[in-house]
Amino acid sequence: MAKTYTDILQDVRTSVRTMSLEELKSKIDSGASLTLVDVREKEEHRAGFIPGAISLPRGFLEMQAEQRLPDRDAPIAVYCAGANRSLFAARSLSELGYSDVTAVNPGFVRWKDLGYPVAKPVALTDAQRDRYSRHLLLPEVGDEGQAKLLGSRVLLLGAGGLGSPAALYLAAAGVGTIGLVDADVVDASNLQRQIMHSLDRVDVLKVDSGEQTIRGLNPDVRVVKYPERLTSENVDRIFDGGDAGGRWDVIVDGCDNFPTRYLVNDASVWKGIPVVHGSIFRFDGQVTTFVPKKGPCYRCLYPEPPPAHLAPSCAEAGVLGVLPGVVGVIQATEAVKLILGKGDPLIGRLLTYDSLRMRFRELKLRRDVECPVCGDHPSIFEYIDYEGFCTLDLPAAAQ
């Protein structure tokens, strides 16, 4: 004989353990180890939720449980608005192999009526919810992650080959403030790879051209422009981000000369700012991420700059036009991961890309305990003559 909904619900009630709201609050107040799962719909969750709860709508539970709830032995409490959805959700989790699942009864409506603590997600406008809807679907981003991006500050050193794709994707992702450091103007020869610019902007400052493109892509983004070469005299002012409303969260390094790279390294180590480093040469590129006190720095990778004849610029050696697109997008990805605090950044790892062979390789990097800047006994504490150190006299234009 076919069962009715009432029959199925009664079966579930007899097979699922339940927890009262008073018991739940006591566990939360005592700091007990408990994973709280809200199985209501997203719209219900946005109206308010129990602090610390993971939003995992009932319709996506079986699909996302393994990813969102990796520990099958952890204590889990499931709640909904009333009680029924949480009962079915708890049984599903048990069937998926979760060993300690409890349904909260009654649910959030009664929790709120009792005056217990209620949290609300970060408020996004309707336009932002539409624009970033694909981000909001990702558990690793969601409302809170998107709010982090909108409140973040990323400084791009160079608005050229690497800075262009990085800037476009960071702007599209909703990074709230983007800084552009570049003293150069747009040249026709740039357009083969510097996709942030266009033919009608030749002879226009790259920071002005970049601002125009970014603003056209995403009006949420504020652009802070530095139409100047990065030097020992201005690096503190720029890196401290006074014009941006605070110190930068991440620096994306698209410089093409060694004096500036060493300057960026030293300043970022002393200020504790992560740097996503990228470089390109002919058909090859490389990316790594330097996070002070969590891995090596640029000087650990290159204690001394190579001779000038072994490191010609793009203007001297050429570069495949699509190559900086790949490298710049990887840099943008690293920056977003650092902002969100998700994933495994390229700390202590150098990712190399050979476009002719379409091959990626990963090399391990180690912090040099003898490094003069980040080592155990540093010997450099102030900015040096970086041009003299590198015995180069190259322009600071980005690639």
Side-chain angles (χ1 to χ4, degrees):
M1 181 177 177
K3 289 186 176 182
T4 65
Y5 170 75
T6 302
D7 295 330
I8 297 174
L9 180 59
Q10 184 59 38
D11 290 343
V12 172
R13 282 175 175 165
T14 60
S15 62
V16 173
R17 290 187 293 114
T18 61
M19 176 190 303
S20 69
L21 292 176
E22 292 76 15
E23 185 179 356
L24 173 62
K25 187 173 187 302
S26 176
K27 286 181 176 292
I28 293 175
D29 291 344
S30 67
S33 175
L34 183 68
T35 301
L36 189 57
V37 179
D38 182 348
V39 296
R40 298 174 301 155
E41 297 302 313
K42 285 289 187 182
E43 292 74 16
E44 297 174 277
H45 183 80
R46 289 176 187 136
F49 58 91
I50 300 176
I54 297 172
S55 176
L56 186 50
R58 178 68 189 89
F60 295 93
L61 182 69
E62 291 81 3
M63 184 188 309
Q64 298 183 358
E66 184 176 356
Q67 179 184 13
R68 302 292 305 280
L69 306 170
D71 187 354
R72 282 183 163 82
D73 295 321
I76 296 174
V78 184
Y79 75 89
C80 61
N84 292 352
R85 280 178 290 176
S86 63
L87 288 168
F88 284 104
R91 186 176 71 170
S92 292
L93 288 174
S94 295
E95 291 174 345
L96 288 171
Y98 291 88
S99 62
D100 188 0
V101 184
T102 306
V104 178
N105 187 2
F108 180 76
V109 173
R110 182 59 179 160
W111 174 278
K112 187 175 180 180
D113 289 343
L114 290 171
Y116 291 163
V118 173
K120 287 191 176 182
V122 178
L124 300 176
T125 66
D126 291 341
Q128 288 172 333
R129 291 198 174 279
D130 185 39
R131 173 181 287 272
Y132 307 117
S133 61
R134 300 306 187 270
H135 268 178
L136 302 182
L137 292 172
L138 295 172
E140 296 81 0
V141 184
D143 290 42
E144 292 186 6
Q146 190 60 54
K148 285 183 180 180
L149 290 170
L150 289 167
S152 66
R153 295 179 290 270
V154 177
L155 180 67
L156 298 174
L157 304 180
L162 297 177
S164 286
L168 292 178
Y169 273 99
L170 290 171
V175 168
T177 302
I178 292 178
L180 299 176
V181 182
D182 201 311
D184 205 0
V185 298
V186 178
D187 184 83
S189 66
N190 301 148
L191 304 180
Q192 164 247 18
R193 64 201 177 281
Q194 299 182 15
I195 58 174
M196 192 159 54
H197 312 299
S198 57
L199 191 60
D200 62 343
R201 298 182 206 160
V202 169
D203 294 329
V204 173
L205 280 168
K206 287 183 179 179
V207 293
D208 290 338
S209 173
E211 178 186 36
Q212 184 175 339
T213 300
I214 291 170
R215 294 289 298 171
L217 176 62
N218 190 349
D220 283 344
V221 180
R222 177 191 176 202
V223 179
V224 180
K225 300 179 293 184
Y226 300 95
E228 52 193 301
R229 177 188 179 188
L230 192 69
T231 67
S232 299
E233 286 69 39
N234 63 18
V235 66
D236 286 332
R237 169 174 56 85
I238 293 175
F239 279 21
D240 287 342
D243 298 330
R247 183 164 290 181
W248 301 97
D249 298 303
V250 183
I251 295 171
V252 175
D253 178 10
C255 301
D256 72 345
N257 66 86
F258 286 99
T260 306
R261 288 173 182 163
Y262 284 103
L263 169 62
V264 170
N265 177 78
D266 297 353
S268 64
V269 169
W270 295 332
K271 295 177 183 296
I273 306 175
V275 174
V276 183
H277 167 75
S279 61
I280 52 176
F281 176 71
R282 290 172 56 82
F283 299 96
D284 301 323
Q286 62 182 31
V287 184
T288 188
T289 296
F290 302 116
V291 178
K293 299 183 180 180
K294 289 188 178 181
C297 74
Y298 185 80
R299 285 182 181 270
C300 298
L301 179 59
Y302 297 109
E304 296 180 355
H309 69 278
L310 294 180
S313 67
C314 292
E316 297 169 316
V319 62
L320 183 67
V322 298
L323 175 65
V326 176
V327 175
V329 168
I330 294 174
Q331 288 182 277
T333 305
E334 286 288 285
V336 169
K337 286 160 53 183
L338 290 170
I339 293 167
L340 296 175
K342 300 293 184 180
D344 185 12
L346 289 168
I347 301 172
R349 296 182 292 146
L350 178 70
L351 184 68
T352 65
Y353 171 52
D354 180 344
S355 64
L356 285 181
R357 296 175 177 81
M358 196 52 67
R359 179 182 300 164
F360 286 91
R361 295 182 59 196
E362 182 180 299
L363 306 175
K364 295 293 185 181
L365 304 179
R366 290 183 175 83
R367 174 175 167 268
D368 181 4
V369 296
E370 300 296 330
C371 175
V373 171
C374 79
D376 294 344
H377 304 286
S379 58
I380 298 177
F381 302 97
E382 58 185 20
Y383 303 122
I384 64 173
D385 177 2
Y386 293 96
E387 296 285 350
F389 172 70
C390 296
T391 64
L392 295 173
D393 188 15
L394 300 176
Q399 291 162 326

